[in-house]
Amino acid sequence: MYLTSINNEKVKFWEKLKQKKYRDMYHLFLIEDEHLIAEALKYKIIKEVITIDENVKYDIDTYYVNDKIMKKISSQVSGAHVIAVASTLKEREIKGNILVLDNLQDPGNLGTIIRSAVAFNFDTLILSDTSVDLYNPKVVRASEGMMFHLNIKRCNIIDFLQNLDSEYLIIGTDVVKGKNIKDLKFNKCALVIGNEGSGISKEVKELCHEMVYIPMNENCESLNASVSASILMYEVNHD
Amino acid sequence: MYLTSINNEKVKFWEKLKQKKYRDMYHLFLIEDEHLIAEALKYKIIKEVITIDENVKYDIDTYYVNDKIMKKISSQVSGAHVIAVASTLKEREIKGNILVLDNLQDPGNLGTIIRSAVAFNFDTLILSDTSVDLYNPKVVRASEGMMFHLNIKRCNIIDFLQNLDSEYLIIGTDVVKGKNIKDLKFNKCALVIGNEGSGISKEVKELCHEMVYIPMNENCESLNASVSASILMYEVNHD
């Protein structure tokens, strides 16, 4: 179908999906890159495709629009070539290792952590309800399509950790003191990474069974949060 | 000294330092955060301070300006509280492990890698002359002041690797095949990390003595470049 007016109701609806409140309301989000759309197609979550290019053909309802409409919908100043409207992800049963993010704010960090979690065979990502939105366009882009492979749940992490099966060792991270993760023995773990500036909140720290830290040069106060998370998941995966 | 006109020559000069060509020409760059300025002060590289706050006192020539001037100089839309004009970093003699970045483009990745390099006791960072500029404000911010602790050199990395002392093992990285870095024996290494999208260039790959890769789940094509670099430096440091 061809759309030419930026006042079309469809266009207005798509534009709303740039805001978290409407993504939450309609359980839909936008995917802005053909490589990511290809990944999402495997999970059958794409509802509609919007493109400026008549040569783009998917076996899904496709809307052909002009540059002006595309720029209105896209999160990128120069617009996108193709955008897909996709259903937000379904939660699955939790089976393996869990990464818990306590108030993580940077969308690039979240996307990077999602890639590493898939790489290092983590089963589930628990995102505190204070963290950056999973469907933020920068997160979707930085995750490089890996968000579709992971079981991701957004919730109150204090409730979540309090009700977690006792077979899980809850491991917190600290920049100055703690054990070396190589010295911990566990069957399954819930690894908690804190906020970029302030680390893990006091309430969450109290729920951790062990604290770990990554040994580093004294000139360095801390690592980037996505790097800390990735190194610890890498170690858990190689145990 | 108080400055009130955005047409003042000083203001025009500082604004030029937002561009790489002028940073290169004058060997000066801007630092936009008090925490970073505190780190830079230890290295005595700060020449002048610009601030909107009369309570800011450093033992360095300080210019008190208005919001309008500050917004013109700052890389941030909302302006900065304090900006320091600093000398670009001096190169030191190369002594220990070296990280080589081949056409790295993302400023956040470069800043993150600099933090990890200091954390994991790397001595020197070699930045290809095709990589993002070290003095890009986003790099300066993401490095969290760690750039001042590291020996950093920007050059043609092919020339650099061809002339590198033979005691160095040159280790390249590949996303699909290679050895596990734990299995390599060396005294000192030059670890090469490639571009975010295309990896290490063919010419540089030919100069590598060994290729390593990080074992990961088959659903994941690759890790973020700053994560790969950090995990490998973490392993080298713990060898």
Side-chain angles (χ1 to χ4, degrees), chain B residues 115-126:
Chain B
R115 284 169 77 179
S116 296
V118 173
F120 300 134
N121 296 299
F122 269 58
D123 173 73
T124 295
L125 177 73
I126 302 293

Side-chain angles (χ1 to χ4, degrees), chain A residues 26 33 94 97 99 102 108 161 181 197 223:
Chain A
Y26 297 111
D33 169 289
I94 298 175
N97 288 324
L99 184 73
D102 180 8
L161 291 172
I181 197 158
L223 295 164

Side-chain angles (χ1 to χ4, degrees), chain A residues 146-197:
Chain A
M146 290 302 110
M147 60 190 282
F148 312 124
H149 292 283
L150 201 61
N151 183 30
I152 305 177
K153 183 184 166 82
R154 187 181 181 93
C155 63
N156 179 312
I157 60 171
I158 295 183
D159 290 349
F160 175 83
L161 291 172
Q162 278 172 339
N163 292 297
L164 188 61
D165 192 296
S166 64
E167 71 172 330
Y168 279 92
L169 185 72
I170 303 175
I171 305 173
T173 46
D174 195 297
V175 291
V176 287
K177 62 175 193 296
K179 295 184 180 172
N180 189 320
I181 197 158
K182 293 182 186 189
D183 298 330
L184 296 184
K185 298 269 171 264
F186 52 86
N187 182 22
K188 289 180 184 173
C189 75
L191 176 66
V192 187
I193 299 291
N195 172 267
E196 287 87 350

Side-chain angles (χ1 to χ4, degrees), chain A residues 197-209:
Chain A
S198 55
I200 299 179
S201 60
K202 192 170 161 287
E203 297 80 357
V204 172
K205 211 172 250 185
E206 283 167 4
L207 296 170
C208 292
H209 302 133

